[in-house]
Amino acid sequence: MQTMTLSEKLANNEAVFGVVGLGYVGLPLAVEMAKEGARVVGFEVSEDRAAQVNAGTSYIGDVPSDELAPLVEKGLIEATTDFSRASECDCITICVPTPLNEMKEPDVSFMVSATEAIAPYLKKDTLVTLESTTYPGTTDEIIKPLLEAQGFTVGKDIYLAFSPERVDPGNAQFQTKNTPKVVGGCTPECCEIATAFYERFIDTVVPVSSTKAAELSKLLENIYRCVNIALVNELAQLCERMDINMWEVVDASKTKPFGFMGFYPGPGLGGHCIPIDPFYLSWKAREYDFHTQFIELAGLINEDMPYYVVRRVFEALNEHSKALMGARILVLGVAYKNDVNDMRESPAIKVIDLLLEKGADVHFHDPFVPHYIQAGKTVESVALTVDEVEAADCVLVLTGHSGVDYDMVREHAKLIFDTRNVFKGHHSDTLVTM
């Protein structure tokens, strides 16, 4: 009996899919694959995560357990820490973290480790795609040699492509399936196979000419946001001196039906992409004797925002005859964005650390984050009660979660500093906005 090619397996829905890294990107991806009837093997270094997935229990907010559990029960999703099972897979997607080191240089060690873990077990006619956000050239310069070291020729024996993740945690409108997927292959054949793979479970696939183009497309998306957020953050600081409400200005500008997209100021950048990705390109650009001055300036402005917030808190307390040292500060929200439990790169943590360094007594309330680790100790979220609000010398809003009783806070707080405009339309001597 003649063995089916990968193209035929994809067309007949007989290909087995693998996902390396079952986090914010990988687990939703695996679920979408399985929902289309594919058998999915999820690879994890964490035994706890693998066990939770196999129990049908989700630890990712965008993946309800009642959506995951039936797929596990049907045998469509299985998690394992045994990377030798990559030999079972026809298509493998790598979804691992790409952080920066202390010098703000790319740390590609997770991608390298993941590739090295699966490479010895790959068979011919297998597709490998990388989704981890990275600098242009990573797929060709790092991942490809690791695969070819096993004796494969990419584009002939095995296929390799880059397709950037576009996950927006908490977004109810756009999720994995209905967010268009950019795909770039190392060769035209790689791109063709990767496109056929993603079309199995993604509504719209957008092929581009190379892995580098796909890698840069993701960086451009996040740099665009980073630069525009830096612009409004800088203008917010100017508006403070000019006694102008920046949120009102942005809302007014948004009424123009063309040529403008609204961005709002805040206490700093958070999440897994925007605070990190621009530095990937800045680092790579130096290899070409090019300095991304505009991007680096935006990064500096955004990085300074937690310091600006602390200065404003200090000034607001001072105007109410209270020193920052010893002041009881109640922080509302430590997640990096509204209505999620994701704390990656959250500016709230930097703000809290700075306040603690200044001698403030800081407590927090977050309905999505029951606790977090600070200086090696577990810090618990406090209940948002009248007594807690009245005890605070300042209530500092760092994340604008919905469902919080802001009316109660406004009624009982001695002083409020609102960095998220949750008290829009309200004005008083005790309410300070950024």
Side-chain angles (χ1 to χ4, degrees):
M1 181 177 178
Q2 187 175 3
T3 303
M4 282 192 294
T5 65
L6 178 54
S7 294
E8 290 170 336
K9 288 181 179 179
L10 288 169
N12 296 329
N13 195 26
E14 295 190 29
V16 177
F17 297 161
V19 178
V20 181
L22 298 176
Y24 287 90
V25 176
L27 188 58
L29 195 68
V31 166
E32 290 302 332
M33 293 171 174
K35 284 163 67 174
E36 294 302 319
R39 185 165 79 85
V40 185
V41 180
F43 297 90
E44 254 296 334
V45 294
S46 167
E47 293 183 359
D48 289 342
R49 278 191 169 187
Q52 286 184 71
V53 170
N54 289 333
T57 303
S58 175
Y59 41 82
I60 300 298
D62 288 341
V63 179
S65 293
D66 59 8
E67 187 176 73
L68 173 64
L71 299 172
V72 173
E73 290 171 6
K74 292 177 183 176
L76 293 174
I77 292 181
E78 179 186 1
T80 181
T81 58
D82 181 5
F83 283 77
S84 69
R85 293 188 60 189
S87 61
E88 302 174 22
C89 302
D90 300 293
C91 303
I92 300 180
T93 300
I94 298 173
C95 310
V96 294
T98 49
L100 297 171
N101 63 24
E102 292 180 357
M103 302 301 294
K104 294 195 179 298
E105 296 172 338
D107 178 359
V108 298
S109 61
F110 293 97
M111 287 186 284
V112 170
S113 296
T115 306
E116 290 177 337
I118 63 171
Y121 307 106
L122 299 180
K123 58 182 181 288
K124 284 189 176 183
D125 207 24
T126 296
L127 168 69
V128 176
T129 64
L130 177 65
E131 295 211 3
S132 306
T133 305
T134 186
Y135 57 82
T138 301
T139 308
D140 285 340
E141 297 165 11
I142 295 181
I143 307 303
K144 181 181 176 183
L146 292 174
L147 298 180
E148 293 192 329
Q150 301 296 319
F152 298 117
T153 298
V154 168
K156 181 181 178 182
D157 303 316
I158 201 167
Y159 306 99
L160 177 61
F162 181 82
S163 180
E165 58 88 0
R166 283 174 160 174
V167 173
D168 183 20
N171 191 323
Q173 181 179 3
F174 293 106
Q175 298 179 325
T176 301
K177 183 174 176 59
N178 66 343
T179 299
K181 204 88 172 71
V182 173
V183 178
C186 288
T187 67
E189 294 78 13
C190 292
C191 187
E192 181 180 347
I193 291 291
T195 298
F197 162 63
Y198 282 111
E199 284 178 341
R200 285 282 298 107
F201 55 93
I202 302 293
D203 290 345
T204 304
V205 180
V206 183
V208 294
S209 63
S210 66
T211 57
K212 287 183 178 180
E215 288 160 342
L216 185 55
S217 73
K218 175 58 187 288
L219 295 183
L220 175 59
E221 293 168 15
N222 290 330
I223 289 168
Y224 172 80
R225 295 175 66 189
C226 176
V227 168
N228 280 281
I229 291 169
L231 173 64
V232 296
N233 277 336
E234 186 170 60
L235 288 177
Q237 296 179 54
L238 174 62
C239 283
E240 176 206 345
R241 300 188 185 189
M242 300 178 72
D243 195 24
I244 301 172
N245 186 307
M246 185 61 193
W247 277 279
E248 181 184 15
V249 172
V250 175
D251 286 342
S253 297
K254 280 176 62 178
T255 61
K256 183 179 181 181
F258 53 88
F260 183 85
M261 180 177 289
F263 290 83
Y264 292 93
L269 291 182
H272 62 297
C273 286
I274 302 177
I276 294 173
D277 295 355
F279 291 101
Y280 265 70
L281 186 59
S282 297
W283 177 84
K284 186 64 175 178
R286 291 196 289 273
E287 181 181 319
Y288 296 86
D289 295 327
F290 190 90
H291 293 275
T292 53
Q293 299 176 63
F294 200 62
I295 297 170
E296 291 171 20
L297 177 59
L300 290 173
I301 292 171
N302 289 325
E303 283 186 347
D304 190 58
M305 290 308 292
Y307 295 89
Y308 172 74
V309 168
V310 171
R311 178 177 67 80
R312 291 291 306 279
V313 171
F314 166 80
E315 293 174 348
L317 285 167
N318 190 56
E319 290 175 3
H320 286 76
S321 303
K322 181 68 180 179
L324 178 56
M325 179 175 286
R328 185 180 178 95
I329 310 294
L330 175 59
V331 169
L332 297 187
V334 293
Y336 89 87
K337 65 180 290 188
N338 300 356
D339 299 335
V340 300
N341 64 356
D342 195 344
M343 290 182 60
R344 288 175 295 175
E345 306 296 327
S346 174
I349 304 308
K350 181 64 176 180
V351 171
I352 290 172
D353 286 345
L354 291 172
L355 289 170
L356 291 171
E357 288 176 10
K358 299 292 185 183
D361 177 22
V362 184
H363 303 260
F364 86 94
H365 169 78
D366 192 311
F368 293 87
V369 181
H371 55 79
Y372 75 95
I373 306 299
Q374 194 265 335
K377 297 181 180 179
T378 300
V379 184
E380 303 283 348
S381 173
V382 300
L384 188 62
T385 63
V386 170
D387 288 345
E388 191 68 48
V389 172
E390 289 181 340
D393 295 300
C394 178
V395 176
L396 173 58
V397 181
L398 294 179
T399 312
H401 292 309
S402 61
V404 174
D405 191 350
Y406 294 113
D407 288 338
M408 182 274 286
V409 172
R410 183 169 55 86
E411 182 179 352
H412 294 281
K414 300 184 184 80
L415 174 65
I416 300 170
F417 182 37
D418 180 8
T419 72
R420 296 295 189 179
N421 203 30
V422 299
F423 294 99
K424 180 179 179 179
H426 295 287
H427 306 278
S428 73
D429 293 337
T430 58
L431 174 60
V432 181
T433 57
M434 196 171 72

